[in-house]
Amino acid sequence: MTTEPGLGPTPRGPHFLSPSLLSAPPPAAPAVVNRRWPLMVAGGFAVLALAAGAGGAAGYVAGRDAPTAAAAVRDALPADLVTAAAQARPGVVSVRVGNGSGSGFAFDGQGHVVTNNHVVAAGGPITVVDADGRRLTATLVGTDPGNDIAVLRVDPPANLPALPLAAPGTTRVGEPVLAVGSPLGLSGTVTAGIISALDRPVRLGDGDNRRTAVQTDASINPGNSGGPLINAQGEVIGVNTAIATLEGGGNIGIGFAVPVDRARQVATDLINRG
């Protein structure tokens, strides 16, 4: 993510396109495309890879009397999500590469951090900033552009607490989830939603890299790319990667994450090869 005077943060990253969107009829009028925010529009929709991207909020507001609207939101948020957020945040970092930024999370106790490939693709010195504001130098262990996964290493490990990974096959449609990361540079941001779909086919990158992704309505914005999508037990169920958006831009509650099973395998392979 870069910042231009007066314009605010601008995401960068590869195309992330749904095959079903590609087959839709073209929009009535040609779209104006900001080349600093790569996208392709089809049928009025676009799916954007966010070189910094996920965040937002879902309500969980119950129909109960409360002194204020804020209290209603607070009281309606499940206690297990509050606990999950508190457990996850210390292991989530901001990733800064040159003029770009994204998010990541501690993968193990050896200083390895998982993020998106498109966060680090531009190259340059890498710094991660932890929940306490410590700026830590990181090196690139390896990347897998086809799955949009990269692994960094912080030396020394700096006691970043590794986030637990969900067991294979345990993610369910409709379960509550949290996206954790640094949307628009706001580190430690937590946003809530549900799992909207599993095994959603998407095309990652500019090539024909067709993959399945976890779909969520947790709001995702530039800055959270590479951050974790976690369940109510605080376990990582995906790596936030992209959102769908209307032609005019903005989040419409359709986000995508690399499933944790694939992310785990890719990260492990990159570490073993590194």
Side-chain angles (χ1 to χ4, degrees):
M1 181 180 68
T2 60
T3 302
E4 299 181 27
L7 296 181
T10 303
R12 55 181 171 76
H15 301 303
F16 191 109
L17 303 174
S18 166
S20 62
L21 297 180
L22 293 176
S23 63
V32 177
V33 178
N34 179 350
R35 295 301 177 187
R36 298 291 298 280
W37 188 323
L39 58 83
M40 184 176 294
V41 176
F45 290 86
V47 182
L48 309 181
L50 303 177
Y60 291 103
V61 179
R64 65 176 72 177
D65 294 331
T68 65
V73 172
R74 179 199 63 210
D75 293 342
L77 189 66
D80 50 358
L81 289 185
V82 175
T83 300
Q87 293 173 342
R89 289 181 65 195
V92 179
V93 298
S94 297
V95 179
R96 301 177 182 178
V97 185
N99 291 327
S101 67
S103 300
F105 63 93
F107 182 72
D108 57 24
Q110 284 72 55
H112 293 110
V113 171
V114 169
T115 186
N116 281 150
N117 172 71
H118 73 258
V119 171
V120 301
I126 304 172
T127 301
V128 301
V129 183
D130 71 5
D132 295 325
R134 293 183 300 169
R135 299 174 62 89
L136 309 169
T137 300
T139 56
L140 183 62
V141 174
T143 65
D144 185 329
N147 286 295
D148 201 17
I149 293 294
V151 176
L152 314 176
R153 182 174 58 242
V154 177
D155 291 317
N159 297 320
L160 292 175
L163 270 59
L165 308 181
T170 57
T171 303
R172 299 169 298 167
V173 172
E175 71 172 296
V177 292
L178 300 174
V180 189
S182 303
L184 306 180
L186 301 173
S187 61
T189 295
V190 178
T191 60
I194 64 168
I195 294 297
S196 304
L198 301 173
D199 301 321
R200 183 68 75 194
V202 294
R203 192 168 78 185
L204 178 61
D206 293 325
D208 193 26
N209 299 313
R210 296 182 182 274
R211 299 289 187 267
T212 56
V214 175
Q215 181 183 330
T216 179
D217 69 348
S219 179
I220 295 184
N221 294 287
N224 285 106
S225 276
L229 188 68
I230 65 172
N231 60 21
Q233 289 72 50
E235 301 167 330
V236 178
I237 62 174
V239 181
N240 298 313
T241 299
I243 61 171
T245 185
L246 294 173
E247 184 175 345
N251 186 285
I252 58 173
I254 301 177
F256 301 100
V258 178
V260 69
D261 297 354
R262 190 185 313 141
R264 176 195 286 111
Q265 184 60 59
V266 170
T268 300
D269 290 346
L270 292 174
I271 291 169
N272 289 339
R273 292 205 301 264

